[in-house]
Amino acid sequence: MAELDPKRTVAELKELRSLTANENGAQRVAFTKTWATARAWLRKKIEQLRGLEVHNDEAGNLWATLPGRSTKALLIGGHIDSVPNGGWLDGCLNTLAGLEVLRRIRAQHGAKPPVTVRLVDWADEEGARFGKSLFGSSACSGKIDMNEIRDLKDKDGIRLVDALKEHGIEFERVKECDKELRSAAAYLELHIEQGPVLLDLGLPLGVVLGTFGVERHAIDFRGQAAHSGSTPMNRRRDAFLAAAKMSPEVYRIAERSNGGVCTIGSCTTKPGIVTSVVEECRITLDQRHLEAAVLARMLSEAKEASEKFATEGNVGVEWERIWKIEPILFNKELIDFCDEAIAETGAKPHRLPSGPLHDAAEVARAGVPTVMMFVQSLHGISHNKIEDTKEEHLELAVTAFDNLADKAMQWIEKS
Ligand SMILES: [Zn+2]
């Protein structure tokens, strides 16, 4: 009989932790020895399942394929890499839950399920060492910017290109892995939430609607340096005052946006001495929302506010875009299946956007129908050794995710 064993997933997560974590947390940073150890361990597990074709693609993504009667493929993806001192679940939960689902499908359908099923372990989701996240999945989606990353180095001066070579990856060929997505009919990813939304609602599982669009800018206010003793308050052109007014304003903008977030993440001043009025003040603003139109409105509201505060303070203001990405919405039908899959376990489904980007966003950008499922994070914390999820919730997540895989297979078969 084909039996899913969610307890086995939890046991394997613990096994992986004991193999690749130390007292500071998970150390599976991509393109390091520990990552390679984790990968070899995973590959061995996969190879215990007979009838699977296993290979690494040009970008170092690991693929395990169970060929079906149809070549149309259901993709299940995760990432075994972690940040340094990371948690025990981020990324690898999806890889190992996917493996368990693959085992169930193999047992239920034998060597030939109705559609092809593929597990992918993406290479370097985190970008922890070289600063380029979603490396393997963006190579696959074709959205990777080769010129932007060709010269990247880690903090020891080792080039990305050389680190890749050590792991059998030739940098100039990474985009050739786009062929892996040609037969893809759906992509599913289970992930820990990494935030507190499900925790605060007291719910174990969530349906992810998509990933936030991001607008990231630097804002420069320019006033005039002046002696802090001799300059009366009404004669100052204080760049910091104008910048500081932005802080409560972005909270109001976020509140009005219904679900968006705004962060002033850094503030630097010049001359930056205790005896001078601030001449130059640079702040960075990160704004995120699931709806493109609302995100655009949040940005224009922030621009208007900055101009108003600059005028009030008789200082100049300039904006510079650092980065942007459009919101990426997941597939409506798969979202409904995810909802049903959760409800079938007895849990109440909750729909929510994802603040962080995930490999799933890259796959969706490549045009593959995609959905993600979230499981509650204790403390609402991730990228930290205290990252955790109740074992009963992990088991429930594997069961719900397996339900989802089943529904997606039937959907692919019919379409
Ligand atoms: Zn992750």
Side-chain angles (χ1 to χ4, degrees):
M1 249 322 272
E3 289 225 8
L4 186 80
D5 185 359
K7 282 194 178 6
R8 174 161 51 188
T9 304
V10 176
E12 287 178 337
L13 284 164
K14 289 178 181 171
E15 202 182 318
L16 180 65
R17 177 171 61 182
S18 64
L19 191 69
T20 58
N22 60 23
E23 67 280 7
N24 298 315
Q27 306 298 340
R28 297 182 300 274
V29 177
F31 312 127
T32 63
K33 272 201 181 112
T34 310
W35 175 72
T37 302
R39 267 292 184 80
W41 172 86
L42 174 66
R43 198 173 176 129
K44 221 167 147 189
K45 297 254 174 210
I46 292 169
E47 282 168 353
Q48 281 163 9
L49 259 175
R50 283 175 301 119
L52 267 65
E53 185 276 324
V54 187
H55 73 272
N56 281 10
D57 69 20
E58 288 82 354
N61 303 308
L62 171 68
W63 294 87
T65 304
L66 177 62
R69 294 195 295 277
S70 162
T71 54
K72 284 190 281 185
L74 170 66
L75 269 45
I76 299 173
H79 63 93
I80 212 161
D81 74 299
S82 74
V83 294
N85 305 329
W88 70 299
L89 300 169
D90 180 2
C92 55
L93 169 62
N94 5 340
T95 312
L96 292 171
L99 174 61
E100 188 57 31
V101 172
L102 208 54
R103 286 183 184 123
R104 192 272 302 164
I105 293 170
R106 175 77 180 77
Q108 184 180 339
H109 296 280
K112 281 272 175 195
V115 304
T116 298
V117 186
R118 309 185 72 196
L119 176 68
V120 53
D121 176 48
W122 300 109
D124 201 2
E125 192 269 355
E126 300 286 3
R129 184 169 162 200
F130 294 98
K132 162 63 187 152
S133 48
L134 311 179
F135 171 81
S137 54
S138 65
C140 220
S141 72
K143 308 283 186 203
I144 199 167
D145 184 340
M146 301 292 279
N147 292 329
E148 193 184 279
I149 64 168
R150 187 172 280 112
D151 297 320
L152 290 179
K153 290 186 182 125
D154 70 6
K155 64 176 182 347
D156 300 320
I158 297 169
R159 297 172 64 217
L160 169 69
V161 174
D162 294 329
L164 291 176
K165 205 173 281 169
E166 260 181 59
H167 294 271
I169 302 161
E170 202 186 309
F171 178 75
E172 298 301 338
R173 292 188 55 196
V174 298
K175 280 178 118 170
E176 290 174 28
C177 75
D178 65 349
K179 64 181 180 299
E180 302 287 349
L181 291 183
R182 258 171 232 162
S183 57
Y187 176 83
L188 312 176
E189 188 171 327
L190 169 67
H191 207 282
I192 54 165
E193 185 203 326
Q194 306 181 280
V197 174
L198 294 170
L199 180 73
D200 288 349
L201 291 167
L203 297 173
L205 300 169
V207 184
V208 186
L209 295 165
T211 57
F212 275 163
V214 183
E215 283 281 3
R216 202 171 283 168
H217 291 83
I219 313 167
D220 285 302
F221 291 93
R222 286 213 174 80
Q224 191 172 49
H227 194 285
S228 63
S230 61
T231 319
M233 300 310 281
N234 65 351
R235 294 291 299 275
R236 297 178 179 211
R237 296 177 56 212
D238 186 342
F240 178 73
L241 177 63
K245 286 179 180 171
M246 289 298 286
S247 179
E249 187 63 25
V250 302
Y251 276 79
R252 286 191 283 266
I253 290 170
E255 204 177 302
R256 282 198 295 273
S257 76
N258 188 23
V261 289
C262 297
T263 306
I264 295 178
S266 78
C267 175
T268 49
T269 60
K270 280 183 194 163
I273 56 171
V274 72
T275 51
S276 176
V277 172
V278 171
E279 179 166 24
E280 283 178 43
C281 185
R282 166 175 269 227
I283 57 174
T284 57
L285 177 62
D286 177 292
Q287 297 180 292
R288 304 183 187 218
H289 203 281
L290 192 61
E291 288 173 53
V294 181
L295 183 60
R297 194 183 75 211
M298 289 163 70
L299 174 60
S300 72
E301 285 179 355
K303 279 192 174 158
E304 266 169 45
S306 72
E307 277 151 22
K308 178 172 155 243
F309 300 143
T311 307
E312 281 171 12
N314 195 19
V315 301
V317 64
E318 267 173 49
W319 282 64
E320 182 191 325
R321 179 174 274 139
I322 300 171
W323 189 67
K324 83 168 278 182
I325 189 166
E326 297 294 321
I328 295 158
L329 300 175
F330 292 153
N331 180 274
K332 284 201 172 70
E333 280 165 281
L334 290 176
I335 286 172
D336 287 341
F337 292 147
C338 193
D339 228 277
E340 290 166 20
I342 291 171
E344 281 168 16
T345 67
K348 182 172 169 247
H350 176 74
R351 296 182 175 201
L352 72 168
S354 172
L357 279 166
H358 289 283
D359 292 311
E362 284 297 337
V363 183
R365 280 172 103 188
V368 179
T370 293
V371 76
M372 288 184 78
M373 184 184 286
F374 274 171
V375 59
Q376 187 195 98
S377 288
L378 289 172
H379 329 292
I381 289 271
S382 182
H383 287 191
N384 186 311
K385 68 173 177 180
I386 70 163
E387 168 192 294
D388 206 2
T389 294
K390 283 183 192 157
E391 282 186 23
E392 65 198 78
H393 287 174
L394 291 173
E395 290 171 19
L396 197 69
V398 177
T399 303
F401 193 61
D402 184 56
N403 291 345
L404 173 59
D406 213 44
K407 290 173 194 298
M409 273 176 80
Q410 288 172 33
W411 181 64
I412 294 169
E413 201 184 349
K414 271 187 244 153
S415 67

